[in-house]
Amino acid sequence: MSQKERINLEDDYDRWQWTCPNGHHDWEPTNHHFWCAACARIPEVDASFDELRDQKTGRLYERDDVELHTPAGPYDSDLDGRGSA
């Protein structure tokens, strides 16, 4: 298993490093995928997506290639491979 990219959802720096595939920063995790408020305001764009873009590298990461963390533990413990706190 390859190393997952860790994203701390409460850390502003981490949040701004990652964008939706269209380059927006106002994405949120939901039900094992992501949703973007900016994309939702564009009629022709689907606001739900399965990849995040790392602004440092430009690379897209699938949902199961990232670990989303909150102060209580992993956001999706079944995807992240361990239980939450």
Side-chain angles (χ1 to χ4, degrees), residues 34-52:
F34 304 101
W35 180 84
C36 176
C39 288
R41 292 188 292 271
I42 303 169
E44 303 82 29
V45 175
D46 186 359
S48 296
F49 53 96
D50 296 315
E51 297 175 313
L52 287 176

Side-chain angles (χ1 to χ4, degrees), residues 31-72:
N31 300 327
H32 300 129
H33 62 280
F34 304 101
W35 180 84
C36 176
C39 288
R41 292 188 292 271
I42 303 169
E44 303 82 29
V45 175
D46 186 359
S48 296
F49 53 96
D50 296 315
E51 297 175 313
L52 287 176
R53 183 176 307 279
D54 181 347
Q55 291 291 50
K56 285 184 180 178
T57 65
R59 181 175 169 207
L60 286 169
Y61 287 83
E62 295 284 335
R63 172 59 189 96
D64 53 353
D65 291 333
V66 298
E67 273 184 13
L68 304 175
H69 285 265
T70 68

Side-chain angles (χ1 to χ4, degrees), residues 5-21:
E5 291 292 320
R6 182 181 175 129
I7 302 170
N8 291 312
L9 294 176
E10 302 297 320
D11 182 281
D12 290 339
Y13 181 79
D14 270 8
R15 290 301 300 253
W16 276 88
Q17 178 180 339
W18 298 88
T19 68
C20 79

Side-chain angles (χ1 to χ4, degrees), residues 18-32:
W18 298 88
T19 68
C20 79
N22 294 315
H24 305 125
H25 294 279
D26 51 351
W27 59 270
E28 293 296 331
T30 179
N31 300 327
H32 300 129

